[in-house]
Amino acid sequence: MYNSSILKIKIFTLLRICAVFLTLATFSIPAFSQEKHEESAEKPFEPSEVILEHIADSHSLHVWNTTAIPLPVILYTDKGLEVFSSSHFEHGHADYTGKYYTYRLVEDKVKIVGANNILADSATVWKWNSSLIDFSITRNVASMWMGMIVLLVIFFSVSSAYKKRSGKAPKGLQSFMEPLILFVRDDIARPNIGYKYQRFMPLLLTVFFFIWVNNLIGLVPFFPGGANLTGNIAVTLVLSVITLIVVNLNGNKHYWAHIFIPADVPVWIWPLWWVIELVGIISKPFALMIRLFANITAGHIIVLSLISLIFVFKSMGIAPVSVAFVIFMDVLELLVAALQAFIFTLLTALFIGGAIEEHHH
Amino acid sequence: MNPLVTPEIGLVVWTTVSFLVLFFLLAKFAWKPIMGAIDERERFIEDSLSKAEAAKDEMARLTNENDALLKQARIERDAILSEAKKVKDSIISEAKEAAHKEGARQIELARIEINNQKAIAMADVKNQVATLSLEIAEKVLRKQFEDSSKQDALVAELLKEVKL
């Protein structure tokens, strides 16, 4: 009796949450279309434009309809540091003249307006020679800090629970997190790294929960979630570079010997071997970077495409079909969120295991 | 280059800084105590299990020992009982034998005494008979020889018989 009533309450809560989600979805769709209509009444709806805008980074946090929280713009120019609010750009409609240059927001990228209205791009990894490097707190940075706060709150409270209840069975949040921590230890670290796994547990746990929590925050369809953080190549780049560094810093003499003086390979092939091994060292974390980026970005693109169908067909009739597919995709993405965090951590553990393995010839 | 695959320098820097800060904070204040507590608890559980196992073994050993002791005690009791029975039997048989011997001795003694008494009695009776016979013979002779003639006759007869 008692159990069934609890179950009923839980089901009702679940239904209520679903109802809220659906209401939000139906509310946000007209708002979204309205915004577009205001901007370009005669231009036809371009799903790819909208989708790319949503999965790219931004200088403001979109909250509701036309309400957005401006974020600080931090620019490192060749003349000095400039810090101002992104509200000065008025969503790209106005230029801002700072201490050193005049800046304009074009497709959410800050550019320097030079003489004769010539725009100078900020530096990118492909083109360094620019007088402007953009260190702004963007939507992705804000989302990442939110994820960090979530992680710190969760794990500090779990940690204090372990201190308070030392030697006792886990309880509450602690009992929810413990199997996950043990999963990382027993199914990721131990089988792939071996008995030296303990040294790498902090990194693996941080990577696993960082990716997972940020994946989940990215799936939340309304403020403050929805940023495509783990689907941003810069973030996956940093994570995979950390893997690259950790793997190669911990490589033992067998690992390096295998790369530089392979015993069973004729000496005249060694130069070719070195090239192949170097490609191998780089390509492993490169695959990590691309895998996480592509999976998360693809998920966001699919969800946004399904929503865009409504505007492509210009019909509310398609909305139920679209929303049904979106819910299906979101559920799938919940799985992908955990799966990608798992795969990234697993492969990191595997690479570390390969680098510190003791060979017995 | 497509902006999607262009890592933005700002985000790279912020991600690096944020991730490292997160890593050090979690490593120091979360992972270390959590993993320590989990390891400690696992060790405790393992210890407890092995201790329980040892206690079980000890218990089994003690039970075995007790059984052995009990068995031994039973054997000893049986041995003692049979010994006692043997002793009892021997005591009884010895007593019987002694009693027999004593009885036989007493009977023998009695018989000898009886014989002695009988011999004494017989001797007494013989004396009495002899005394009586002599008294009777004296009285008969007195009666026979009251008359002096008869005495002379007898003397004469006897003198006749005597051949010199």
Side-chain angles (χ1 to χ4, degrees), chain A residues 135 145 159 178 185 198 206, chain B residues 14 18 29 31 41-42:
Chain A
F135 287 117
W145 287 354
S159 166
E178 184 169 312
R185 191 189 68 178
Q198 256 159 340
T206 312
Chain B
W14 283 121
S18 309
F29 298 111
W31 306 137
R41 200 178 55 206
E42 277 178 357

Side-chain angles (χ1 to χ4, degrees), chain A residues 114-352:
Chain A
N116 302 326
N117 224 7
I118 295 167
L119 295 175
D121 290 343
S122 57
T124 70
V125 285
W126 315 118
K127 193 170 87 49
W128 280 95
N129 57 335
S130 165
S131 45
L132 172 69
I133 306 175
D134 188 353
F135 287 117
S136 304
I137 309 301
T138 58
R139 181 172 62 181
N140 278 336
V141 177
S143 178
M144 178 163 60
W145 287 354
M146 195 172 67
M148 279 171 66
I149 290 167
V150 169
L151 284 168
L152 290 175
V153 166
I154 289 175
F155 288 107
F156 280 14
S157 80
V158 168
S159 166
S160 72
Y162 274 103
K163 266 180 214 145
K164 260 184 246 152
R165 302 172 47 76
S166 79
K168 289 186 194 158
K171 196 179 165 191
L173 183 64
Q174 187 193 4
S175 65
F176 181 77
M177 300 315 295
E178 184 169 312
L180 296 171
I181 294 169
L182 291 181
F183 169 73
V184 173
R185 191 189 68 178
D186 297 339
D187 291 308
I188 296 179
R190 261 185 191 159
N192 293 304
I193 299 178
Y195 70 99
K196 287 179 188 164
Y197 75 96
Q198 256 159 340
R199 206 148 74 78
F200 302 99
M201 278 307 289
L203 176 75
L204 296 176
L205 286 167
T206 312
V207 166
F208 180 78
F209 286 107
F210 178 83
I211 295 176
W212 193 18
V213 164
N214 281 308
N215 282 349
L216 290 178
I217 290 173
L219 288 180
V220 178
F222 45 81
F223 181 80
N228 184 29
L229 178 72
T230 41
N232 190 298
I233 196 92
V235 176
T236 62
L237 172 79
V238 171
L239 292 173
S240 52
V241 164
I242 288 169
T243 297
L244 175 79
I245 292 169
V246 169
V247 167
N248 289 292
L249 277 186
N250 286 290
N252 60 13
K253 62 174 191 285
H254 302 291
Y255 174 76
W256 293 113
H258 174 73
I259 290 169
F260 288 111
I261 43 166
D264 306 332
V265 178
V267 175
W268 61 273
I269 299 182
W270 282 13
L272 181 64
W273 181 270
W274 295 336
V275 173
I276 291 167
E277 283 295 330
L278 188 70
V279 170
I281 289 173
I282 303 292
S283 71
K284 284 179 200 165
F286 187 81
L288 282 183
M289 172 180 82
I290 297 298
R291 184 180 296 109
L292 183 58
F293 154 76
N295 271 285
I296 304 306
T297 299
H300 281 242
I301 289 176
I302 292 169
V303 170
L304 291 165
S305 306
L306 288 166
I307 291 290
S308 294
L309 280 180
I310 301 166
F311 305 101
V312 170
F313 286 105
K314 290 197 178 89
S315 146
M316 275 302 273
I318 200 83
V321 182
S322 202
V323 167
F325 272 105
V326 166
I327 289 170
F328 171 74
M329 275 314 297
D330 272 337
V331 173
L332 192 67
E333 286 301 307
L334 279 178
L335 176 72
V336 171
L339 193 68
Q340 288 305 319
F342 166 62
I343 290 175
F344 198 104
T345 319
L346 178 80
L347 289 175
T348 300
L350 194 70
F351 298 155
I352 292 171

